[in-house]
Amino acid sequence: SMHMREAPRGKFKYPARGAESQFILERSEKARICGQQVGRPPHRRAMRYLHTLASYVPSIVVSHVVDTPTMQTPCRQTFETCVVFCDVSGFTKLAERMQATGKGAEGLKKYLNSYFEQMARIIAKSGGDIFKFAGDAMIVLWPPSDDPLENRMQRAAAAAIQIQQTIPKMELEQGALLKVKIGIGVGMVTVLHRGGVNGHVEYVAVG
């Protein structure tokens, strides 16, 4: 049987991020400390490399790795928080429109990036952490913090309302209007860190 370790709550706290700049600085600091903890000098190239890697990983996972550089898998983090699910509709019609106008994959990438950028800004300002992209959908978690759960619930709900009010107005291409469906959940969440074969670890949220 596989023994699942409970990940310790480390020294890093998860503050409610009020702006994207704070979010970026936080990840840069984690990348710097991560570089120091694995015994490598925080020179410019290594910092750039670590910062790039950190941008692909949720802040929750980055903080856990920084706090536990000798992490053994499988292990888990369990905490009470809010989860927001965002599912984009109208993607197929937009893809067909891109093909019909000759804009193809490049045009589709441009519009989707613009769409998700608007959502990411709203989420970052509310303190949310984009945990996973799944095609044209995303899962957002509010990291554990000293802030009461009720406050995180309010910020999650406010972010969802703002996305609903902003995104449907974005007609990225004539005749192709993207919309987003949002669900909000509150309760215990477990982030599983599994794998470890050939140095590869995967993370998944359940609960």
Side-chain angles (χ1 to χ4, degrees):
S1 62
M2 184 179 296
H3 178 66
M4 189 71 68
R5 303 175 184 83
E6 182 71 27
R9 293 291 289 273
K11 63 182 179 181
F12 270 100
K13 295 183 179 181
Y14 300 82
R17 295 183 291 271
E20 290 174 280
S21 58
Q22 183 179 352
F23 173 71
I24 293 171
L25 287 172
E26 181 184 76
R27 280 208 172 164
S28 298
E29 177 65 8
K30 289 172 185 173
R32 181 186 67 79
I33 296 175
C34 185
Q36 291 177 343
Q37 289 184 342
V38 297
R40 297 175 181 172
H43 54 77
R44 187 172 300 177
R45 184 175 180 182
M47 279 296 301
R48 225 175 17 244
Y49 179 68
L50 288 171
H51 179 67
T52 300
L53 288 178
S55 68
Y56 283 86
V57 183
S59 180
I60 293 172
V61 175
V62 173
S63 295
H64 175 65
V65 172
V66 169
D67 287 345
T68 53
T70 57
M71 179 183 72
Q72 295 181 352
T73 55
C75 64
R76 66 187 178 190
Q77 301 167 261
T78 301
F79 49 91
E80 190 175 26
T81 191
C82 305
V83 183
V84 169
F85 303 90
C86 301
D87 184 25
V88 177
S89 62
F91 177 81
T92 301
K93 191 171 183 179
L94 177 61
E96 293 172 349
R97 183 65 180 170
M98 292 294 97
Q99 184 177 5
T101 58
K103 296 180 180 179
E106 284 299 318
L108 186 61
K109 179 186 73 172
K110 174 185 174 182
Y111 285 132
L112 284 181
N113 282 346
S114 175
Y115 194 83
F116 282 121
E117 180 183 5
Q118 296 293 326
M119 296 174 64
R121 286 179 177 174
I122 295 172
I123 290 167
K125 289 179 180 179
S126 68
D129 188 16
I130 298 177
F131 186 80
K132 186 88 71 174
F133 283 99
D136 56 357
M138 69 168 66
I139 301 173
V140 182
L141 298 180
W142 268 254
S145 70
D146 296 332
D147 199 28
L149 179 62
E150 291 77 10
N151 292 348
R152 281 176 276 160
M153 290 169 54
Q154 291 177 358
R155 291 201 303 272
I161 292 172
Q162 187 176 355
I163 289 172
Q164 287 281 20
Q165 292 176 341
T166 303
I167 302 302
K169 298 178 182 179
M170 295 177 61
E171 187 174 14
L172 302 176
E173 185 76 9
Q174 186 176 2
L177 181 65
L178 293 180
K179 298 181 180 180
V180 61
K181 301 175 183 178
I182 300 178
I184 302 177
V186 180
M188 298 302 297
V189 173
T190 297
V191 177
L192 301 178
H193 300 261
R194 58 187 186 181
V197 179
N198 295 326
H200 178 77
V201 178
E202 180 67 19
Y203 55 89
V204 60
V206 298

